[in-house]
């Protein structure tokens, strides 16, 4: 019997005429930190899940729930028998999912002092992988047909957990509760009353387990809410689990100032301790105001005795300006909006949850008020005009919109005509042609003075839009602005 190459053949066929080409995968999907899935238990076999992925899609944005991912797969029967058996599957909700996409632009210098076959790889252009998703699987579906298991898994960002972690904003005085429940009576109406946006976001990030839900009073009650094992409440055990899970470098927090500069972890902790001033909280005026309104001579004399100013200066929140003042550019959101108020729009002065005279001292005897962590974060970002979302690398981001950043010099952020696959445009009439903002005579408090028609109003009309589209109103209430001129400039900014 002759060799295969010696046999008669038709055409130009020749053994090994086509070489083997090895390519990089466009995406890598890690499930619980692994590229493979467990196979049969006895043989300790691992199944490379990457070989059976047919599509991967990731959606991202600057809203809290905008980051999501979907992975579709098709697994042949011989491999799927280890993954799908006895009506169960190892692909299930609750798994941690990470997705990496191969970059579009080649990058040099990814390797250092690596040599292959005598060739240095230092200057070799390579396509790196970028982290584009970090979240948890929320749904899985699959079916079997024609010898293949086909299906998909859907995942949401880690902020998905925040939807189901409740915080007690005002606890019931008389109700069954577990130990360490974090459900307490609040005499100011809300647990975050008077706190700045930075302080609230920082507190939400640090609180992993929230509070015990369903703490309400009933005359005759049967519940395991306060159940314990070995002297420890089950609620405390769940809280310890969440604490240990998020204690690792699984998710960080990035907060930005008005100038776009990233606060360090020390600066974040410092800002979270600032109290916001109002009529009831006069001590707050000694915490926020000096950060923007001190001068160097007074600071030099006081920083040894004033720990607030000294700490802010050491952390870099106060800086020496050209006009001899100590300024805090990352706390001042906009230029001066009122000639009588040197702060402009100061984020540290804002409060998402106001003191209200009508609610102070009122105790809820039987019902506990709850809000989820995500609901509270949404209120804070709307009040501050900031963005709050989970970035593609898994970190939480709290920042101004920063529309003024110019990234045109970088090819990575610039879309050229050759890059466009498809594009669509939509035009619509404006939502509003004039804007009204109403305020109060006292900042960050309700119920201490005339309001509504006897309050404060700022009205800005864009007559160019009115002439073209008519009168279309928009209005907003604010507890921050306490003079009409500031309301007027804020209305102008809101309308634009």
């Amino acid at each position: 019997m002759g060799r295969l190459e010696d046999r008669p053949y038709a055409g130009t066929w020749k053994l090994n005429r086509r070489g083997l080409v090895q390519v990089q995968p466009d995406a890598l999907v890690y499930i619980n930190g692994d590229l493979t899935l467990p196979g049969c238990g006895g043989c300790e076999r691992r199944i490379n899940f990457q070989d059976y992925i047919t599509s991967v899609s990731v959606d991202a944005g600057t809203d809290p729930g905008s980051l999501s991912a979907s992975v579709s797969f098709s697994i042949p029967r011989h491999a799927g028998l280890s993954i799908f058996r006895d009506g169960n599957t190892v692909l299930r909700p609750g798994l941690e999912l990470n997705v990496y996409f191969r970059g579009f632009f080649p990058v040099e210098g990814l390797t250092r002092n690596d040599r292959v076959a005598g060739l240095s790889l230092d200057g070799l252009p390579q396509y790196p992988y970028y982290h584009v998703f970090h979240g948890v699987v929320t749904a899985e579906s699959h079916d079997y047909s024609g010898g293949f298991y086909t299906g998909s898994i859907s995942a949401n960002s880690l902020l998905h957990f925040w939807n189901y972690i409740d915080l007690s904003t005002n606890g019931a005085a008389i109700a069954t509760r577990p130990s360490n429940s974090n459900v307490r009576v609040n005499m100011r109406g809300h647990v975050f009353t008077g706190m700045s946006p930075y302080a609230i976001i920082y507190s939400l990030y640090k609180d992993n387990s929230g509070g015990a839900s369903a703490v309400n009073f009933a005359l005759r009650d049967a519940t395991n809410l306060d159940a314990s094992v070995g002297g420890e409440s089950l609620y405390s055990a769940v809280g310890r689990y969440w604490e240990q899970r998020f204690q690792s470098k699984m998710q960080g927090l990035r907060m930005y100032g008005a100038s776009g500069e990233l606060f360090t972890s020390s600066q974040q902790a410092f800002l979270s301790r600032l109290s916001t001033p109002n009529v009831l909280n006069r001590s707050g005026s000694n915490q926020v105001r000096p950060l923007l309104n001190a001068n160097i001579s007074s600071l030099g004399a006081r920083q040894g005795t004033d720990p607030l100013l000294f700490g802010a200066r050491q952390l870099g929140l106060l800086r020496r300006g050209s006009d001899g003042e100590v300024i805090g550019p990352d706390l001042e959101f906009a230029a001066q909006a009122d000639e009588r108020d040197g702060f402009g729009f100061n984020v540290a002065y804002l409060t998402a949850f106001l003191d209200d005279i009508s609610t102070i001292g009122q105790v809820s005897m039987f019902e506990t008020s709850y809000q989820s962590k995500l609901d509270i974060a949404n209120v804070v970002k709307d009040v501050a005009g900031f963005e709050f979302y989970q970035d593609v690398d898994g970190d939480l981001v709290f920042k101004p919109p920063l529309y003024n950043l110019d990234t045109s010099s970088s090819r990575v952020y610039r879309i050229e005509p050759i890059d466009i696959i498809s594009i669509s445009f939509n035009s619509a009439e404006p939502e509003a042609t004039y804007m009204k903002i109403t305020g109060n005579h006292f900042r960050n408090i309700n119920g201490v003075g005339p309001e509504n028609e006897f309050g404060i109003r700022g009205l800005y009309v864009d007559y160019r839009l009115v002439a073209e589209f008519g009168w279309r109103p928009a209005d907003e209430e604010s507890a921050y602005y306490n003079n009409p001129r500031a309301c007027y400039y804020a209305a102008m900014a809101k309308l634009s």
Side-chain angles (χ1 to χ4, degrees):
M1 181 180 294
R3 295 184 305 169
L4 182 64
E5 292 90 340
D6 297 334
R7 293 185 177 185
Y9 62 90
T12 59
W13 181 88
K14 185 177 181 181
L15 184 64
N16 297 328
R17 187 178 185 89
R18 298 186 62 182
L20 179 64
V21 178
Q22 188 172 3
V23 297
Q24 284 183 279
D26 291 328
L28 295 174
V29 177
Y30 287 81
I31 299 178
N32 275 5
D34 203 332
L35 292 171
T36 62
L37 295 175
C40 59
C43 60
E44 298 183 356
R45 179 189 174 196
R46 305 292 299 185
I47 298 173
N48 188 1
F49 184 62
Q50 313 304 304
D51 293 341
Y52 308 117
I53 294 175
T54 56
S55 68
V56 181
S57 63
V58 175
D59 292 323
T62 57
D63 293 323
S66 58
L67 185 60
S68 61
S70 177
V71 179
S72 299
F73 56 85
S74 179
I75 304 177
R77 184 174 182 272
H78 71 274
L81 288 177
S82 297
I83 301 175
F84 308 97
R85 58 180 181 269
D86 299 330
N88 300 312
T89 172
V90 297
L91 299 172
R92 58 179 180 80
L95 300 176
E96 190 177 332
L97 190 73
N98 284 273
V99 179
Y100 293 80
F101 280 171
R102 187 167 61 92
F104 181 78
F105 298 98
V107 177
E108 296 182 3
L110 290 179
T111 56
R112 291 287 183 266
N113 302 321
D114 288 341
R115 303 182 68 86
V116 177
L119 176 65
S120 175
L121 301 180
D122 290 354
L124 182 66
Q126 300 180 60
Y127 293 91
Y129 284 91
Y130 295 96
H131 198 181
V132 296
F133 180 80
H134 184 190
V136 60
V137 175
T138 57
E140 184 273 339
S141 63
H142 66 274
D143 58 78
Y144 176 79
S145 176
F148 283 84
Y149 293 91
T150 59
S152 64
I153 53 178
S154 301
N156 284 2
S157 68
L158 296 176
L159 281 176
H160 173 74
F161 290 115
W162 283 34
N163 271 314
Y164 307 103
I165 298 179
D166 290 336
L167 290 177
S168 167
T169 59
N170 195 359
I174 304 174
T176 301
R177 67 196 71 194
S179 59
N180 303 318
S181 64
N182 290 327
V183 177
R184 300 179 181 89
V185 176
N186 191 287
M187 303 298 289
R188 296 176 67 181
H190 199 286
V191 68
F192 289 132
T193 296
M195 294 179 63
S196 71
Y198 289 124
I200 296 176
I201 294 297
Y202 189 82
S203 299
L204 293 176
Y205 169 70
K206 287 296 185 180
D207 189 344
N208 293 323
S209 57
S213 293
V215 177
N216 296 311
F217 173 80
L219 186 60
R220 302 181 66 184
D221 190 18
T223 177
N224 70 336
L225 187 63
D226 55 348
S228 61
V229 175
E232 181 183 21
S233 69
L234 295 181
Y235 170 78
S236 298
V238 172
R240 182 175 291 108
Y241 164 76
W242 282 103
E243 182 179 355
Q244 292 179 353
R245 176 170 184 177
F246 287 99
Q247 220 172 21
S248 62
K249 190 55 181 176
M250 183 179 186
Q251 187 175 51
L253 174 64
R254 303 203 304 268
M255 294 199 297
Y256 292 79
S259 69
E261 184 172 343
L262 175 65
F263 290 130
T264 65
S265 57
S266 299
Q267 290 172 334
Q268 292 178 16
F270 180 87
L271 291 173
S272 70
R273 303 297 299 175
L274 294 179
S275 60
T276 306
N278 59 29
V279 175
L280 298 177
N281 182 23
R282 301 304 300 173
S283 63
S285 61
N286 295 326
Q287 291 190 320
V288 176
R289 188 178 298 272
L291 298 183
L292 297 175
N293 215 29
N295 58 62
I296 283 188
S297 59
S298 65
L299 179 62
R302 294 173 54 199
Q303 65 178 356
T305 58
D306 192 329
L308 178 81
L309 295 178
F310 179 75
R313 185 66 180 275
Q314 295 299 313
L315 292 174
L317 291 173
L318 299 182
R319 304 178 184 178
R320 191 179 299 269
S322 58
D323 54 357
E325 292 184 348
V326 176
I327 58 176
D330 293 306
L331 297 181
E332 195 168 13
F333 189 73
Q336 183 171 325
D338 178 13
E339 71 278 3
R340 295 176 298 171
D341 186 353
F343 302 110
F345 184 76
N346 182 358
V347 180
Y349 256 79
L350 281 173
T351 57
F353 304 97
L354 307 177
D355 275 305
D356 193 328
I357 294 296
S358 63
T359 62
I360 293 177
Q362 292 190 4
V363 177
S364 176
M365 298 298 295
F366 308 120
E367 296 289 332
T368 300
S369 301
Y370 291 98
Q371 278 185 285
S372 71
K373 291 176 64 173
L374 194 61
D375 288 340
I376 295 174
N378 280 323
V379 172
V380 171
K381 79 176 184 65
D382 291 339
V383 168
F386 274 34
E387 295 171 344
F388 179 71
Y389 58 94
Q390 181 186 313
D391 210 349
V392 292
D393 58 2
D395 287 346
L396 302 181
V397 178
F398 183 65
K399 71 174 185 64
L402 302 178
Y403 296 121
N404 60 329
L405 290 183
D406 183 8
T407 58
S408 60
S409 60
S410 174
R411 178 65 177 87
V412 176
Y413 296 99
R414 193 172 65 247
I415 299 177
E416 301 289 355
I418 194 174
D419 302 326
I420 298 175
I421 300 175
S422 64
I423 190 170
S424 61
F425 300 92
N426 293 289
S427 298
E429 295 180 341
E431 297 180 9
T433 58
Y434 70 97
M435 181 78 187
K436 177 183 71 172
I437 289 186
T438 56
N440 201 339
H441 293 278
F442 299 95
R443 176 175 287 170
N444 295 333
I445 191 170
N446 285 332
V448 296
E451 300 176 359
N452 301 322
E453 62 270 14
F454 296 104
I456 291 172
R457 186 186 78 159
L459 179 67
Y460 175 74
V461 181
D462 190 328
Y463 280 104
R464 180 184 59 83
L465 294 179
V466 169
E468 189 172 0
F469 301 104
W471 294 88
R472 303 188 180 204
D475 60 85
E476 183 176 303
E477 294 183 3
S478 173
Y480 174 82
Y481 302 107
N482 58 358
N483 64 79
R485 187 176 179 87
C487 287
Y488 172 77
Y489 284 114
M492 184 187 302
K494 287 283 186 179
L495 185 64
S496 65

